[in-house]
């Protein structure tokens, strides 16, 4: 059982930056592909970004490409989401997810989820 704990959310003005972190309990963290998803009020959860086990390959939703960067530090069992040039439409609860077999993405259902961290972008 992998436990994931997100942190780093908060309130920021449009154009600002935040860095989210997701710490995993699993010692074999490097066995898991990792992803970030988000859910805005009244909307379905959507894919944001993902990275492979080594972090060598990354994938992004079109809506965040060029503004967000996913990275991981396997020595620290942590995955990050650097968010720049934030927009009010980025306001959502952000979740990290882990899967040992499938790269998280649109339509996927990762095995493990964190509890989420709120990001609010004011205009």
């Amino acid at each position: 059982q992998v436990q994931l704990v997100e942190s780093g959310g908060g309130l920021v003005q449009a154009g600002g930056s935040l860095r989210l972190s997701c710490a995993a309990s699993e010692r074999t963290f490097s066995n898991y592909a990792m992803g970030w998803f988000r859910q805005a009020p009244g909307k379905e959860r959507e894919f944001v970004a993902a990275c492979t086990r080594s972090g060598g390959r990354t994938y992004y939703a079109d809506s965040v490409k060029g503004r967000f960067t996913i990275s991981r530090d396997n020595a620290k069992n942590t995955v990050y989401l650097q968010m720049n040039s934030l927009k009010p439409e980025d306001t959502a609860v952000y979740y990290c997810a882990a899967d040992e077999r499938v790269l998280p993405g649109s339509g996927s259902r990762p095995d493990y989820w964190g509890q989420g961290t709120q990001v609010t972008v004011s205009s």
Side-chain angles (χ1 to χ4, degrees), residues 74-90:
N74 286 343
K76 295 183 178 180
N77 289 3
T78 302
V79 63
Y80 305 96
L81 185 68
Q82 178 67 44
M83 306 185 294
N84 298 329
S85 301
L86 282 161
K87 304 175 181 180
E89 52 262 44
D90 295 318

Side-chain angles (χ1 to χ4, degrees), residues 50-115:
C51 65
T52 53
R53 293 170 181 80
S54 68
R57 285 181 292 165
T58 57
Y59 303 87
Y60 299 93
D62 288 343
S63 58
V64 306
K65 203 170 293 183
R67 300 187 298 122
F68 290 11
T69 302
I70 186 172
S71 62
R72 65 190 294 163
D73 185 338
N74 286 343
K76 295 183 178 180
N77 289 3
T78 302
V79 63
Y80 305 96
L81 185 68
Q82 178 67 44
M83 306 185 294
N84 298 329
S85 301
L86 282 161
K87 304 175 181 180
E89 52 262 44
D90 295 318
T91 295
V93 178
Y94 283 72
Y95 300 88
C96 72
D99 199 295
E100 203 168 10
R101 295 163 293 126
V102 177
L103 184 71
S106 296
S108 74
R109 302 181 71 176
D111 291 333
Y112 303 103
W113 293 86
Q115 83 290 347

